[in-house]
Amino acid sequence: MAKASGKSRTQVAIIGGGPAGLLLSQLLHLDGVDTILLERRSRDYVLGRIRAGVLERGTVELLRTAGVGSRMDVEGINHDGTYLAIANEGFRIDFKRLAGGSVMIYGQTELTHDLYDARDALEARIVHEVDDVRIECADSARPRVGYRHAGNDHVIDCEFVAGCDGFHGVSRKHIPVGVLREFERVYPFGWLGVLSRTPPVSDELIYASHERGFALCSMRNPKLSRYYIQVPLDEKADDWSDGAFWDELRRRIPHDAAERLVTGESIEKSIAPLRSHVAEPMRHGRLFLCGDAAHIVPPTGAKGLNLAASDVYYLWQALRRHYRERDDHGLDTYSETALARVWKAERFSWTMTKLLHRFPDQSDFDRRMQQAELEYLRSSTAAQTSLAENYIGLPY
Ligand code: APR
Ligand code: PHB
């Protein structure tokens, strides 16, 4: 490592200032555990990212516990169900009646704002625009994290490292080849998403399966809508005019929704690829992975942020036991505990993705199976209950 021009010490060094890293640092801080958080990007860049916006009840509870629930509780919208549509005809899945719970619509961008505000209020140590982050000696009792900031080298001596640096971060790569196992499925299509300052077309989300491909009608608040359509991977967002996007969306959603749809100028338009990915184990020595650093889900089940929250919950509880009771059981079982929930959410996200999208290599038989599955879901309370239970979030 280059000669260090800055040395600091903390209990938990956190790499990544997305929702996972911020929430973990906030929860630990409230317990009196010191953290330093390193983020590669500027704060404006992190806050400018448009991500999903469906919170499971467990995530909502955890955010309240972390003291970041007050704006969410005022501005968030409770959804007791969702619509599914088959070939332009919708039906509703009632989460509350079938599974006894609901979800909250609150954008991840807003949530990240609230987390930064809460961290500022407690004068948290957060370093933005760091470069060349290096984890050292994670399998010893004294790990270190080196980084460059504003042209200088720095080193943090710490007791634990939390790798919350997303799919492209450095933390997962620190787990040695031969120890790390990665499981992956890349889907042969993407989602073209549009954000528009228009009232949402529906009181609840609409997940639409259509001959031309999947579509989703979502929202951020009563004046801001988020819509997606499935597109081939080689398409470019810039090739889609707003008019072409709205026309294609109308074709895929229920007829009554298509008639009501209020369109407007897009304020963000981008294509996201779909991927399922899991890294095992989620721990190496004193390095613990949380959130997208360890797993990716396709967005069809709205599980990405919620899985990051459940990882943070398990790690926070484990560190709390370590610092309060000198009991390492939670740390020793973190990886298997977190992965047990991760794999169930991976299963759900993969099932929803397979059910609702058109696959380029689908045979006629595959298509009939998909249609039969959708018809089963439309007609069976048991099938709807299973979807509802998973959508609102399995217990921690
Ligand atoms: N050093 C420091 N920070 C890094 C590094 C690095 N080498 N690499 C990446 N980061 C930062 C990214 O800039 C990003 O801000 O780590 C952060 C990771 O944040 P997210 O990608 O938002 O991941 P996470 O916090 O796990 O949030 C859960 O699941 O499905 C998604 O939309 C959901 O973004 C949400 C995520
Ligand atoms: C979103 O609002 O961006 C959203 C909602 C539900 C999903 C995916 C994305 O399943």
Side-chain angles (χ1 to χ4, degrees):
M1 185 179 290
K3 191 169 178 296
S5 56
K7 233 176 184 314
S8 40
R9 179 177 290 279
T10 190
Q11 288 170 296
V12 183
I14 299 176
I15 307 174
L22 290 166
L23 181 58
L24 180 66
S25 72
Q26 174 74 4
L27 288 162
L28 290 174
H29 197 134
L30 296 178
D31 274 354
V33 176
D34 189 60
T35 65
I36 298 178
L37 189 150
L38 304 176
E39 165 57 51
R40 189 162 55 112
R41 303 287 194 165
S42 68
R43 185 184 290 211
D44 283 349
Y45 182 94
V46 173
L47 291 172
R49 290 192 292 229
I50 309 285
R51 297 273 176 86
V54 178
L55 307 182
E56 294 175 353
R57 54 187 173 176
T59 306
V60 168
E61 279 310 315
L62 190 61
L63 292 166
R64 288 179 184 144
T65 305
V68 287
S70 52
R71 193 161 70 101
M72 172 190 77
D73 279 327
V74 174
E75 295 178 16
I77 311 167
N78 253 354
H79 280 192
D80 293 340
T82 192
Y83 295 98
L84 260 62
I86 313 173
N88 307 103
E89 262 186 54
F91 62 99
R92 182 165 184 269
I93 301 207
D94 190 328
F95 301 151
K96 198 146 207 173
R97 183 171 58 80
L98 296 168
S102 52
V103 292
M104 186 179 277
I105 304 303
Y106 190 63
Q108 185 176 318
T109 311
E110 301 312 315
L111 180 62
T112 311
H113 254 290
D114 297 345
L115 282 162
Y116 271 117
D117 286 350
R119 298 286 47 227
D120 287 346
L122 294 178
E123 296 180 9
R125 286 194 283 175
I126 299 181
V127 191
H128 278 277
E129 298 182 78
V130 299
D131 217 349
D132 197 16
V133 172
R134 307 167 307 277
I135 302 168
E136 297 194 343
C137 313
D139 47 1
S140 80
R142 292 263 160 262
R144 298 196 307 171
V145 178
Y147 64 98
R148 278 185 77 74
H149 181 244
N152 296 316
D153 288 313
H154 299 262
V155 171
I156 305 172
D157 286 316
C158 55
E159 292 162 9
F160 296 100
V161 181
C164 305
D165 48 355
F167 182 66
H168 299 288
V170 293
S171 300
R172 183 176 68 255
K173 293 169 195 142
H174 189 72
I175 302 181
V177 179
V179 176
L180 184 70
R181 282 194 75 189
E182 297 189 72
F183 303 83
E184 185 169 66
R185 165 144 310 174
V186 176
Y187 298 89
F189 41 74
W191 279 16
L192 170 62
V194 158
L195 189 68
S196 68
R197 247 181 266 290
T198 51
V201 69
S202 163
D203 56 337
E204 292 171 344
L205 272 54
I206 305 173
Y207 288 85
S209 164
H210 192 273
E211 197 64 33
R212 299 177 65 90
F214 170 75
L216 170 61
C217 305
S218 181
M219 65 190 75
R220 291 291 174 272
N221 63 48
K223 293 184 181 151
L224 195 59
S225 299
R226 182 72 166 156
Y227 297 102
Y228 299 93
I229 55 173
Q230 172 189 352
V231 293
L233 269 179
D234 54 5
E235 304 232 340
K236 302 268 170 295
D238 288 345
D239 295 342
W240 281 84
S241 67
D242 288 354
F245 177 85
W246 295 122
D247 286 347
E248 188 56 34
L249 180 71
R250 266 195 216 94
R251 289 187 192 105
R252 299 184 188 187
I253 63 179
H255 293 304
D256 56 332
E259 276 166 28
R260 284 197 306 271
L261 181 72
V262 179
T263 62
E265 199 189 328
S266 65
I267 48 180
E268 197 264 355
K269 196 190 285 161
S270 55
I271 295 184
L274 272 71
R275 178 196 304 270
S276 299
H277 173 268
V278 181
E280 292 184 352
M282 286 172 61
R283 173 205 187 167
H284 179 65
R286 287 179 166 245
L287 165 68
F288 294 84
L289 303 182
C290 282
D292 279 16
H295 40 73
I296 297 288
V297 283
T300 328
K303 291 289 170 234
L305 172 61
N306 293 297
L307 271 187
S310 59
D311 291 349
V312 165
Y313 172 81
Y314 295 130
L315 185 54
W316 166 55
Q317 290 291 312
L319 287 166
R320 168 179 263 204
R321 265 173 92 170
H322 169 84
Y323 283 115
R324 287 192 177 172
E325 300 157 34
R326 293 280 138 201
D327 176 351
D328 282 353
H329 181 72
L331 292 173
D332 291 340
T333 53
Y334 168 74
S335 180
E336 63 187 84
T337 309
L339 281 167
R341 191 171 192 280
V342 165
W343 276 115
K344 288 181 201 139
E346 289 282 350
R347 184 203 70 85
F348 178 64
S349 308
W350 167 73
T351 305
M352 288 283 280
T353 305
K354 272 195 320 177
L355 180 69
L356 295 168
H357 292 77
R358 290 303 313 269
F359 284 72
D361 59 353
Q362 223 166 7
S363 67
D364 289 347
F365 179 82
D366 296 338
R367 183 75 186 128
R368 283 284 186 272
M369 283 296 110
Q370 199 179 34
Q371 287 164 344
E373 185 111 30
L374 279 162
E375 286 305 334
Y376 174 56
L377 187 59
R378 173 150 55 189
S379 61
S380 159
T381 305
Q384 291 188 9
T385 304
S386 169
L387 190 150
E389 175 186 49
N390 281 278
Y391 198 94
I392 63 168
L394 298 176
Y396 288 4

